Amino acid sequence: MILEVSIYLVCIILFCFLANRLYFSGSRYKSEKKLNGKVALVTGSDCGIGFETALDFAERGARVILACRNSLKAEKAVRKIIQKSGNKQVDYELIDLSDLDSIKAFSRNIQSKIDQLDILVNNAGVMGCPESWKTKQGFDMQFGVNYLGHFLLTNLLLDLIKKTPKSRIINVSSCVHYLAKIGLDSDEFKGYPKSKLALVMFTKELAKQLHSTGVTVVSVHPGIIIRNTGESYCRLFPLIVKILYLIYMIFTKSAYEGAMNIVFCAIDDQVPKLNGCYFSDCRPKEPSKQTFDEQNCKNLWEISKKLVGL
Ligand SMILES: NC(=O)c1ccc[n+]([C@@H]2O[C@H](COP(=O)([O-])OP(=O)(O)OC[C@H]3O[C@@H](n4cnc5c(N)ncnc54)[C@H](OP(=O)(O)O)[C@@H]3O)[C@@H](O)[C@H]2O)c1
């Protein structure tokens, strides 16, 4: 009797775990679409969501450029992608998004190597940095790397993107952008939520400016992703960490599942009809109310131009 009840209980727990896991992992994007002859560039792609995105593009046959700041990690990621995908057209270029000079050098370098750019994924991001952390030019680290760095990079690559038919720009934002507010005072340009809100506003303004050029620009929330942080605690409290990790797993996506949201935005046929939109779980979703104020988006664009010296 006790054994039977225990078996039932284990089955119920397993079922609940799987059902929750399936629910929180979001919709699954599957497509056989190939990207042969296309060129894709993904920032921050030596690990996490960026790595899985780059791997998917390589598996579809694209030439993939990993834009990373650490050559050792980038080399390792390139080797892994080539080995897994069998596609040898995978390479990396160094970029530090916390340094405007590095972004300019990267952009010059890349334009001497490629003459088309079909997909640009602005994925690199930092989170949880103390306020004292600044970029090389003195901006708040999170705002500088996540938004201003990608703002400059995109603008510098814009001619290349515009001359590539049906090209796409995907800005990786986050659902935490709903928590932020952006005014006109650049002293207030700090923190993770604001950097992600700025990306959604930038997407809207850029889509408007690129209207009728054939370029699609969207922003996306990849989902809440299981990260490898906590590895060091794992050695100290292995059992507790494993149990917590299991609970955490129920409510999050894997990096692969998160990347599928970006891949959807990069290749699905319905996305160009939704130019400028914000996506979550492979669907357009209403972003923060602030992003609907067109003048606000335009103002942010003008201030950003001044800040990065465009
Ligand atoms: N994880 C989530 O739950 C979640 C949720 C919503 C949105 N997002 C967004 O999704 C994107 C990817 O997240 P993730 O979880 O995959 O993050 P991650 O694993 O921490 O990867 C971040 C990537 O950005 C790179 N990076 C950081 N600073 C850089 C800089 N100054 N210059 C160039 N590259 C830099 C990192 O390079 P290094 O390897 O050299 O550090 C790394 O490759 C981020 O934009 C994040 O904000 C994540």
Side-chain angles (χ1 to χ4, degrees), residues 44 46 49 69 73 96-97 123 125 173 192 196 223 225 227:
D46 54 36
I49 302 167
R69 63 175 166 177
K73 286 173 87 174
D96 182 353
L97 284 152
N123 164 77
S173 178
Y192 184 78
K196 294 297 175 180
I225 309 300
R227 306 178 85 153

Side-chain angles (χ1 to χ4, degrees), residues 43-51 67-70 73 95-99 122-127 141 145-146 150 172-176 192 196 199 220-227 248 255 262:
T43 67
S45 39
D46 54 36
C47 61
I49 302 167
F51 173 84
C68 303
R69 63 175 166 177
N70 179 321
K73 286 173 87 174
I95 185 170
D96 182 353
L97 284 152
S98 69
D99 175 5
N122 289 323
N123 164 77
V126 283
M127 190 184 163
M141 184 60 84
V145 169
N146 302 357
H150 285 126
V172 182
S173 178
S174 165
C175 62
V176 301
Y192 184 78
K196 294 297 175 180
L199 278 170
V220 60
H221 165 57
I224 306 298
I225 309 300
I226 304 166
R227 306 178 85 153
Y248 183 52
I262 299 174

Side-chain angles (χ1 to χ4, degrees), residues 147-148 151 155 182-184 186 189 198 201-202 205-206 208-209 294-310:
Y147 168 63
L148 284 175
F151 175 85
N155 273 289
I182 289 188
L184 297 183
S186 58
F189 287 180
M201 292 166 74
F202 164 49
E205 176 62 22
L206 185 58
K208 206 170 91 186
Q209 292 188 16
E294 289 192 11
Q295 191 55 47
N296 219 1
C297 297
K298 190 159 176 37
N299 289 341
L300 176 67
W301 178 281
E302 293 304 327
I303 298 173
S304 308
K305 254 173 75 177
K306 279 195 196 123
L307 291 177
V308 301
L310 271 177

Side-chain angles (χ1 to χ4, degrees), residues 29-38 53-64 85 87 256 260 263-264 267:
Y29 183 62
K30 290 264 177 285
S31 164
E32 296 298 312
K33 196 163 185 175
K34 292 283 167 209
L35 291 174
N36 299 83
K38 307 271 186 203
T53 305
L55 172 60
D56 182 278
F57 291 159
E59 284 172 341
R60 291 175 196 277
R63 174 174 176 194
V64 186
S85 67
N87 179 349
Y256 168 78
M260 286 307 105
V263 172
F264 166 83
I267 69 170

